[in-house]
Amino acid sequence: MDFVKDYKEFEKYRLSFNQLAQKTFEIDFEKWFQYGFWNERYIPYSWLNNDQVIANASANFLDFVINGQVIKALQIGTVMTDCHYRKQGLASHLINQIINENEEKVDFIYLFCEEQNIEFYKTLGFLPLLDSLYIINQVHYPEPSNPLKQIDFTKLEDRLFVFEIINNSVAQSNLFSVNQAHHIITWYCTYSLNQTIFYDSELQCVILFRIKDDVLFLYGYFSKNIIPLHVLIKRLSGYNYNSIKIFFTPDEEILAKCQTSPNEQIMFLKSKMNFPNDFCHPMTCRA
């Protein structure tokens, strides 16, 4: 077996990596690469056998904003091993390699995991932490005067327009938000959230949302300007829904009105930084 990393420009390895991701998680990376969004902040660490990727763990570099303080973070993702090579410690080695190479460069290392994998990550030194999902009853406002424009992310012009806004977006919550994660956000825009992208010309804001079963699922919003969440919600009031599920940490004004429920399992290495008492890691920045 051979170890390789950061090989996105080497087509043979990249396509093999993508094949393993499809087989393991039913997800894809190739269109995202072809769109030009796979950048230096997403680095796969992989084992090869006969030039085929058989195990991987990827490093995602991003910034937290917690109580107004910028903190450099590393999120480990796309942890996978081909079914014929499991139980050999391959993923553990790759995760440790990422940690050893980068722990002095960042302030915080973490990952998301399924409940059945918690004990595995504990053996690697990670500690469990659960974030929250925020739910708020509909706030009734007059219907917006300007309809929102739905973005077609398959069109180059629309992609570049959205990317320019996301790339230059400011933190909308100083309590907890994630910056420098446009590579992850554009992955969601390319795939699972490609039907949820809207532009508000009045607020000059890209909004990711969908409505299902009388619930508005609000995944994120991006603008070069700070937009209070209650202003954004007012712009969405013309749609038919009874409650809002917010998949990021809202500002303090909305936070006080929200109910919370347990959300995602996070595993993190010991750190000097402290999370807020209540927070939601943005879903669009989860690798």
Side-chain angles (χ1 to χ4, degrees):
M1 287 187 291
D2 298 306
F3 170 75
V4 292
K5 72 172 188 177
D6 198 15
Y7 48 79
K8 66 180 182 294
E9 301 295 342
F10 191 71
E11 184 178 50
K12 184 175 184 179
Y13 294 167
R14 188 185 72 247
L15 293 179
S16 178
F17 162 86
N18 197 58
Q19 185 178 34
L20 182 59
Q22 291 174 332
K23 182 179 178 181
T24 306
F25 301 120
E26 297 183 346
I27 61 175
D28 182 82
F29 290 86
E30 186 59 20
K31 185 188 293 186
W32 175 64
F33 170 80
Q34 296 297 337
Y35 282 172
F37 297 134
W38 183 339
N39 64 14
E40 72 284 352
R41 300 181 77 85
Y42 179 81
I43 301 176
Y45 289 60
S46 302
W47 283 113
L48 300 176
N49 190 28
N50 295 324
D51 281 343
Q52 296 297 304
V53 174
I54 60 170
N56 182 79
S58 295
N60 293 272
F61 295 91
L62 37 80
D63 292 343
F64 287 164
V65 178
I66 300 180
N67 295 321
Q69 180 183 1
V70 177
I71 296 168
K72 293 188 178 299
L74 187 160
Q75 181 185 166
I76 297 173
T78 330
V79 180
M80 55 187 180
T81 304
D82 184 274
C83 59
H84 297 102
Y85 296 91
R86 292 174 183 170
K87 307 297 183 182
Q88 299 180 33
L90 299 181
S92 299
H93 181 277
L94 294 170
I95 292 169
N96 283 325
Q97 181 84 1
I98 292 173
I99 294 170
N100 291 337
E101 285 188 16
N102 297 288
E103 60 183 340
E104 299 300 323
K105 303 175 185 177
V106 299
D107 303 306
F108 192 75
I109 297 177
Y110 71 109
L111 52 83
F112 289 87
C113 82
E114 301 297 332
E115 185 174 355
Q116 64 268 23
N117 296 324
I118 292 176
E119 294 304 316
F120 165 71
Y121 286 111
K122 283 183 176 179
T123 65
L124 299 179
F126 288 85
L127 302 173
L129 175 69
L130 201 62
D131 74 346
S132 299
L133 175 68
Y134 295 101
I135 304 168
I136 185 172
N137 292 327
Q138 181 180 4
V139 180
H140 294 278
Y141 295 104
E143 188 168 336
S145 56
N146 295 327
L148 305 183
K149 175 189 176 183
Q150 186 164 12
I151 298 294
D152 185 350
F153 210 68
T154 64
K155 295 181 177 179
L156 176 60
E157 182 180 2
D158 282 8
R159 288 199 304 274
L160 294 177
F161 176 75
V162 169
F163 178 75
E164 196 274 335
I165 293 175
I166 291 174
N167 191 37
N168 293 285
S169 180
V170 298
Q172 297 295 335
S173 171
N174 276 331
L175 296 177
F176 185 92
S177 58
V178 176
N179 281 350
Q180 299 298 318
H182 43 276
H183 61 295
I184 308 177
I185 299 167
T186 52
W187 185 90
Y188 282 95
C189 290
T190 302
Y191 297 106
S192 59
L193 296 183
N194 65 345
Q195 298 297 312
T196 76
I197 312 168
F198 294 83
Y199 179 68
D200 187 326
S201 59
E202 182 176 310
L203 297 179
Q204 298 183 331
C205 174
V206 169
I207 312 168
L208 305 184
F209 75 95
R210 66 162 52 100
I211 298 173
K212 182 179 180 181
D213 300 330
D214 296 324
V215 178
L216 188 148
F217 295 79
L218 183 56
Y219 301 113
Y221 67 104
F222 310 93
S223 176
K224 299 175 185 178
N225 307 307
I226 294 177
I227 301 171
L229 186 52
H230 76 272
V231 173
L232 182 78
I233 291 173
K234 182 176 180 179
R235 292 289 297 151
L236 298 174
S237 62
Y239 296 89
N240 185 24
Y241 56 90
N242 294 319
S243 62
I244 306 171
K245 289 188 176 180
I246 302 171
F247 291 82
F248 53 88
T249 304
D251 54 43
E252 291 180 277
E253 180 177 351
I254 293 297
L255 188 64
K257 301 175 182 178
C258 290
Q259 299 175 337
T260 62
S261 65
N263 190 31
E264 298 288 351
Q265 182 64 61
I266 298 172
M267 305 295 292
F268 69 99
L269 291 180
K270 291 181 180 179
S271 170
K272 296 179 181 179
M273 58 164 281
N274 294 315
F275 281 98
N277 292 330
D278 288 312
F279 78 100
C280 176
H281 186 289
M283 194 207 78
T284 57
C285 300
R286 173 183 172 179

